[in-house]
Amino acid sequence: MKKKVQKTFLNQNRDIHLRMNHLFQMAHQVLLSKPENKNLARFYISMMKRIATRLVMKLHPSIKRAICKKCDMLLIPGITATVRIKAHRQKHKVVQCVECGKVKRFVYNPNHILWVDKPEAVYHPQEMEDKRVAKSMQETQGKPSKETDKASSSKVT
């Protein structure tokens, strides 16, 4: 019974992810084919964000970086955004939305890996359960039980 419920939940999430991915790709394609259709692209992005907030789903950081927070415009360099590399203090990338003027700054480090892409960010419930069981087994094997402590202490006296 539980497996059936879990499978349907995963299929629902898959459908939602597919829909959000489709909206993002449509917005990107609309801006590449006709840059005048900025309102249509903005509508697609706002729909994608609305779906994510309504269903309490997080957007991938690469998608978040490609969207203007102020006007929900997809930031494509040369079409809807200007991109500059600046070396003030630390080398960073400055992305400015052409529509509203909102500025985003990202540290420019080629070796930097987002936390989402690191292996420890992926949650594996089975591995976590195995580690928990192994730890409890070590604790029970390493520490004698209270009954054996009492029995050994009574023999000594």
Side-chain angles (χ1 to χ4, degrees), residues 138-150:
Q138 284 178 347
E139 288 175 356
T140 56
Q141 288 176 357
K143 295 179 183 177
S145 65
K146 292 180 182 179
E147 294 173 7
T148 56
D149 283 343
K150 290 177 183 177

Side-chain angles (χ1 to χ4, degrees), residues 28-68:
H28 198 269
Q29 200 59 36
V30 162
L31 285 175
L32 288 179
S33 62
K34 280 192 173 180
E36 305 88 42
N37 288 338
K38 292 179 182 178
N39 288 333
L40 183 60
R42 185 177 287 129
F43 172 75
Y44 289 146
I45 295 297
S46 63
M47 283 296 295
M48 181 187 70
K49 285 175 76 174
R50 197 175 313 139
I51 290 168
T53 52
R54 185 172 8 111
L55 298 172
V56 192
M57 298 183 77
K58 293 185 178 185
L59 295 174
H60 194 272
S62 61
I63 292 175
K64 282 184 179 179
R65 287 180 172 207
I67 298 171
C68 177

